[in-house]
């Protein structure tokens, strides 16, 4: 898994999943505990928002600030949705918390020589775009766009275009990293092995049908794209190109989960699963 163990270049791929990303937080903290490194990292939605903490070397920060702030009605939920048309408050979550209340170490992040990419969806073209994040504070709107869930979030303007959740068009962006020339990928999923995505109700997708028909089409067909990615990933696992970490247990959790105990449970599962994977790999190397 460590890049320095061979000449192969290995990329880390982080799926989204809103608060299911607590699983990813546990995995990443385990990687930090064991000094596991990669040649590049790509995250989508919560995978991007939480993944940047790997490069800033802030172990424990993701689970800490989510347990602290998620239950605040001004941070996430109906109140910011009604006030800002964003289910997660822009000012509170993307400015006040990372700059003041639980500071993100952007200077440490910028010292890293590991490129980090976030996936966003252009709502005009209905296509994914991949943006390298060189400074979290300077490019916070890119991360915000990547994690802006359709229907419950306003599009985010980047340059002259408008964007929403990258997961709509590339939920598990391992193919992009392979296309960029990386030899292998380690993929962190946030759903168990038996998960199959179902079609999004037309009530939600139809919101975009008239103004953004290409985004509407992508949003309507997301389940097809996602389930294909899962099947293709299985083939890459068999070929030894991909290594996949996914929750080994079913823990029911809301996309906007506020219960700190549930968040902690999923985080601990990520820690355990990652430790188990590393132990298994060490055992195989000794044989």
């Amino acid at each position: 898994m460590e890049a320095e163990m061979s000449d192969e270049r290995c990329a880390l791929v982080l799926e989204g999943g809103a608060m299911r990303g607590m699983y990813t937080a546990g995995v990443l903290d385990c990687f930090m505990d064991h000094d596991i490194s990669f040649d590049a990292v790509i995250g989508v939605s919560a995978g991007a928002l939480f993944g940047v903490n790997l490069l800033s070397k802030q172990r424990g920060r993701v689970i800490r600030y989510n347990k602290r702030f998620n239950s605040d009605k001004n941070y996430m939920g109906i109140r910011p949705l009604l006030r800002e048309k964003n289910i997660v408050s822009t000012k509170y979550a993307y400015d006040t918390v990372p700059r003041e209340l639980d500071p993100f170490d952007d200077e440490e992040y910028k010292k890293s020589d590991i490129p980090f990419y976030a996936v966003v969806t252009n709502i005009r073209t209905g296509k994914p775009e991949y943006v390298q994040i060189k400074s979290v504070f300077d490019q916070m709107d890119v991360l915000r766009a990547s994690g802006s869930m359709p229907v419950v979030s306003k599009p985010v303007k980047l340059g002259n275009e408008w964007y929403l959740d990258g997961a709509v068009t590339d939920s598990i962006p391992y193919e992009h990293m392979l296309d960029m020339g990386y030899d292998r990928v380690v993929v962190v999923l946030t759903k168990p092995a038996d998960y199959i995505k179902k079609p999004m109700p037309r009530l939600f997708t139809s919101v975009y049908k008239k103004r953004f028909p290409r985004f509407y089409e992508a949003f309507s067909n997301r389940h097809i794209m996602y389930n294909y990615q899962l099947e293709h990933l299985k083939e890459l696992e068999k070929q030894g190109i991909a290594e996949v970490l996914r929750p080994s247990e079913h823990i029911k959790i809301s996309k906007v989960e506020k219960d700190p105990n549930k968040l902690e449970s999923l985080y601990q599962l990520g820690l355990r699963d990652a430790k188990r994977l590393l132990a298994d790999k060490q055992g195989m190397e000794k044989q």
Side-chain angles (χ1 to χ4, degrees):
M1 186 178 294
E2 292 178 285
E4 65 268 23
M5 291 175 63
S6 73
D7 293 331
E8 290 185 327
R9 296 200 307 157
C10 181
L12 176 64
V13 179
L14 307 174
E15 182 187 12
M19 288 305 112
R20 287 191 295 266
M22 290 304 103
Y23 179 81
T24 303
V27 171
L28 296 182
D29 280 358
C30 180
F31 287 169
M32 282 188 257
D33 289 341
H34 292 83
D35 295 320
I36 303 297
S37 62
F38 298 88
D39 296 291
V41 183
I42 188 168
V44 57
S45 195
L49 291 166
F50 298 160
V52 292
N53 293 271
L54 177 66
L55 272 61
S56 67
K57 301 178 181 179
Q58 289 178 277
R59 189 200 188 282
R61 179 175 179 271
V62 174
I63 184 63
R64 182 177 65 240
Y65 79 75
N66 279 279
K67 287 174 66 175
R68 179 181 174 187
F69 297 110
N70 280 15
S71 59
D72 188 329
K73 294 180 180 179
N74 292 305
Y75 180 84
M76 180 176 70
I78 297 299
R79 189 171 295 177
L81 182 61
L82 294 175
R83 185 175 58 234
E84 306 176 24
K85 296 183 180 179
N86 285 314
I87 198 164
V88 177
S89 172
T90 298
K91 173 65 177 175
Y92 199 162
Y94 293 97
D95 187 9
T96 304
V97 169
R99 290 183 182 274
E100 300 174 17
L101 301 180
D102 197 325
F104 178 80
D105 192 343
D106 200 38
E107 292 306 311
E108 183 66 33
Y109 177 90
K110 289 188 289 187
K111 291 178 185 177
S112 174
D113 59 358
I114 302 171
F116 187 102
Y117 302 90
V119 188
V120 294
T121 296
N122 185 312
I123 63 173
R124 178 182 60 82
T125 65
K127 299 292 184 182
E129 296 180 17
Y130 308 88
V131 183
Q132 184 174 353
I133 305 298
K134 297 182 179 180
S135 164
V136 167
F137 286 156
D138 290 347
Q139 296 172 278
M140 187 65 81
D141 281 348
V142 177
L143 293 169
R144 185 163 65 88
S146 184
S148 289
M149 295 181 286
V151 183
V152 293
S153 305
K154 292 191 300 184
V156 178
K157 190 174 185 181
L158 302 173
N160 295 320
E161 299 280 358
W162 294 87
Y163 296 85
L164 280 172
D165 194 345
V168 172
T169 49
D170 196 351
S171 296
I172 317 171
Y174 57 86
E175 286 190 88
H176 180 73
M177 301 312 283
L178 295 174
D179 289 343
M180 285 184 69
Y182 293 94
D183 303 290
R184 295 187 302 112
V185 289
V186 172
V187 181
V188 181
L189 301 179
T190 56
K191 304 171 187 71
D194 60 354
Y195 178 81
I196 299 175
K197 182 169 284 297
K198 298 179 181 178
M200 182 69 65
R202 187 168 297 180
L203 175 65
F204 297 129
T205 61
S206 62
V207 171
Y208 302 98
K209 188 173 184 178
K210 289 185 178 180
R211 290 192 63 195
F212 306 106
R214 292 176 180 172
F215 181 82
Y216 161 76
E217 183 178 359
F219 195 21
S220 299
N221 294 321
R222 183 189 172 193
H223 64 290
I224 299 173
M225 174 269 298
Y226 184 87
N227 293 330
Y228 163 78
Q229 288 184 324
L230 288 181
E231 288 303 313
H232 186 216
L233 194 54
K234 292 177 183 178
E235 294 301 315
L236 294 179
E237 283 187 274
K238 292 177 183 177
Q239 297 170 28
I241 296 173
E243 191 157 18
V244 180
L245 257 170
R246 51 170 65 85
S248 59
E249 302 173 17
H250 287 265
I251 295 180
K252 189 174 182 180
I253 192 167
S254 165
K255 285 187 176 182
V256 289
E257 186 61 61
K258 299 177 182 294
D259 185 341
N261 293 321
K262 289 185 178 180
L263 297 174
E264 181 69 27
S265 293
L266 193 54
Y267 169 78
Q268 290 295 333
L269 180 62
L271 277 175
R272 291 197 302 273
D273 285 353
K275 288 178 182 177
R276 188 179 304 115
L277 173 68
L278 296 179
D280 289 346
K281 287 179 68 65
Q282 289 174 356
M284 291 175 63
E285 291 169 359
K286 292 178 181 179
Q287 290 180 0

